[in-house]
Amino acid sequence: MFQSLIPGDLPASGPIAQFIEMGGPVMVVLMAMALAGMITFVYLMLYGALFAPRYTRRLRRAVQEWKHTADQTVTDQMCTQTRGLGRLNPLHQLVLMAMRGKLRGETESKTRTTVSQKAQEVLTPFEAPLKIIEVIAALAPLLGLLGTVMGMMEAFSAMAAAEGRASASQLSGGIYQALTTTAAGLIVAIPFAALAAWIEFRLRRLQGTLNSVLTDIININTNINTTPATEERSIANPGQPVTEPVALEPEWQGRQTAANAFR
């Protein structure tokens, strides 16, 4: 019935050919989904091995030095000491971005916004493979159930065509073939559901690590000496007392009130 779906170089008695013959088109779709899920998982592992954020020992040392002395020397050491695959670590770039933003005197809200957008871009490539694996885990049991329903309909249709002369062995054989797709759907769905849960757990851990590390960097006060405007005026005119601009506001308001009264 389904011989046209079997490649010519496969033997008719092979296990794949038997599965396709028993499950029909639904079994072909399940096998294609399983293959796609395996390829997606392998790609995700290879991509994560190269580009996943890693809180390495060197980064821990740099963050500890930043907590003690938040100055330009920490970023210079990170740039000079990081080589090779270490530069592919996105967390290295995020840490440098947060440190340089603090050294430039950016506001905390601006630094947080910039770093959070970059961190979201870092985690986005991991979301698409996760969605693919979740969809496979969700659709595989439904496809297996669909194959079972189609097989049962075919078995009972053959029984009705026989006008009650079908034996119990023939009926049980048809039901056995119909239930094969349900078993195949569950076999595909269970491991991919476990993989999806594990990948989601890993992504949450990565997100938590990014948040904790970058928050520690942003909350540190840098050692940049900024001279207030009042101090600049006192240094320029050492003989004159420093006048607070806030203290001038009540005096100005009093003069305006007196002028309005004379009017």
Side-chain angles (χ1 to χ4, degrees), residues 202-230:
R202 291 288 299 171
L203 284 179
R204 288 183 178 179
R205 288 192 61 182
L206 288 176
Q207 186 176 5
T209 302
L210 292 177
N211 290 335
S212 61
V213 173
L214 297 176
T215 300
D216 290 342
I217 294 173
I218 294 174
N219 289 336
I220 296 297
N221 294 323
T222 56
N223 295 329
I224 300 176
N225 295 323
T226 57
T227 306
T230 55

Side-chain angles (χ1 to χ4, degrees), residues 25-69:
V26 176
M27 187 67 70
V28 176
V29 176
L30 285 174
M31 294 174 64
M33 290 175 59
L35 181 61
M38 292 176 61
I39 294 174
T40 303
F41 178 72
V42 172
Y43 163 78
L44 185 60
M45 291 297 99
L46 293 177
Y47 187 87
L50 294 176
F51 301 104
R54 299 179 301 276
Y55 195 28
T56 59
R57 184 179 304 175
R58 185 169 297 172
L59 281 178
R60 289 192 183 94
R61 190 183 306 114
V63 172
Q64 292 298 326
E65 293 177 358
W66 176 263
K67 290 180 180 180
H68 289 88
T69 56

Side-chain angles (χ1 to χ4, degrees), residues 71-192:
D71 52 12
Q72 187 71 29
T73 58
V74 179
T75 58
D76 293 340
Q77 289 179 359
M78 288 182 61
C79 293
T80 56
Q81 294 178 0
T82 304
R83 299 182 181 86
L85 294 178
R87 295 186 180 274
L88 298 178
N89 187 3
L91 187 55
H92 177 266
Q93 303 298 329
L94 290 172
V95 168
L96 278 178
M97 183 182 299
M99 290 180 178
R100 288 170 178 171
K102 294 290 291 183
L103 292 174
R104 285 194 300 265
E106 295 180 355
T107 59
E108 183 176 341
S109 60
K110 181 179 179 180
T111 305
R112 285 181 182 274
T113 302
T114 305
V115 173
S116 63
Q117 291 177 354
K118 186 64 177 177
Q120 184 63 31
E121 293 177 1
V122 168
L123 296 179
T124 299
F126 296 94
E127 295 178 359
L130 174 61
K131 290 298 180 182
I132 294 174
I133 293 177
E134 288 178 347
V135 169
I136 292 175
L139 290 183
L142 299 179
L143 286 173
L145 181 61
L146 175 62
T148 297
V149 172
M150 293 173 60
M152 295 289 288
M153 291 173 61
E154 185 177 353
F156 283 109
S157 176
M159 182 178 179
E163 298 179 355
R165 293 190 298 271
S167 62
S169 61
Q170 295 177 349
L171 182 61
S172 61
I175 295 175
Y176 167 75
Q177 291 184 0
L179 291 176
T180 305
T181 56
T182 300
L186 293 176
I187 291 173
V188 173
I190 290 174
F192 282 111

Side-chain angles (χ1 to χ4, degrees), residues 229-241:
T230 55
E231 293 182 3
E232 291 179 356
R233 289 198 300 270
S234 64
I235 293 173
N237 300 314
Q240 296 181 0

Side-chain angles (χ1 to χ4, degrees), residues 243-260:
T243 305
E244 295 291 338
V246 180
L248 294 177
E249 186 176 356
E251 183 181 356
W252 179 82
Q253 291 178 353
R255 291 177 182 176
Q256 287 295 107
T257 304
N260 294 332

